[in-house]
Amino acid sequence: MKDYKQLAALAAEAKDRAYAPYSGFHVGAALLCESGRIYIGCNVESAAFPATVCAERTALLKAVSEGERKLKAIAVAGSKSGAEGDYCYPCGVCRQMLNEFAGEDFEVIIAKSADDYRVHKWAEILPFGFGPKDLG
Ligand code: THU
């Protein structure tokens, strides 16, 4: 298993930038692409609640709009504001969006902190997913 300490630390750092005045739930993500570049993201809420964007999609949209097309790994850190982090897994919408660009070897790091994280294969996070291959 690879060492994801740096990616986990970046996700935890990005969590501090969350704009979440409505839920009070702060999430950070750090997305490593095949280019070797890392894009961070946080959740950004809206007074019109459904317009909220999750941390994972913030990072993904930053990466794709910079020309990235292949993802290696994403670290996610989330917790209620002020609380100690717990293991926070990506929501269904984020899983679906990540599936668009996730390769076979894409990995998901669920970080409580830089030293305490779980690593999952993409197939564990989104088994039997619908994706680009299904549209031929
Ligand atoms: N949230 C994320 O940023 N990522 C997830 O995968 C789960 C949920 C955010 C959205 C919202 O701002 C807050 O957490 C509570 O749902």
Side-chain angles (χ1 to χ4, degrees), residues 95-102 122 126 128-136:
R95 291 177 200 215
Q96 187 61 50
M97 278 291 280
L98 288 164
N99 198 43
E100 197 67 26
F101 303 97
W122 183 240
L126 188 65
F128 306 108
F130 182 84
K133 66 179 181 343
D134 295 296
L135 296 180

Side-chain angles (χ1 to χ4, degrees), residues 3-113:
D3 179 5
Y4 284 118
K5 195 178 165 74
Q6 188 209 1
L7 210 60
L10 287 172
E13 247 176 77
K15 188 176 81 161
D16 294 337
R17 309 228 179 99
Y19 175 75
Y22 306 108
S23 72
F25 195 81
H26 293 191
V27 187
L31 178 62
L32 171 64
C33 297
E34 256 188 23
S35 64
R37 288 189 63 186
I38 294 171
Y39 299 82
I40 60 157
C42 62
N43 53 330
V44 182
E45 297 188 346
S46 167
F49 298 163
T52 290
V53 181
C54 291
E56 299 90 324
R57 275 176 292 139
T58 302
L60 178 66
L61 297 180
K62 283 172 72 178
V64 173
S65 60
E66 292 295 329
E68 305 288 354
R69 291 293 184 269
K70 283 206 167 154
L71 316 179
K72 293 285 284 182
I74 190 167
V76 183
S79 68
K80 201 76 183 155
S81 171
E84 198 193 316
D86 200 352
Y87 298 114
C88 171
Y89 283 79
C91 80
V93 174
C94 288
R95 291 177 200 215
Q96 187 61 50
M97 278 291 280
L98 288 164
N99 198 43
E100 197 67 26
F101 303 97
E104 292 269 297
D105 56 351
F106 184 51
E107 291 188 311
V108 179
I109 296 88
I110 306 296
K112 265 195 188 181
S113 69

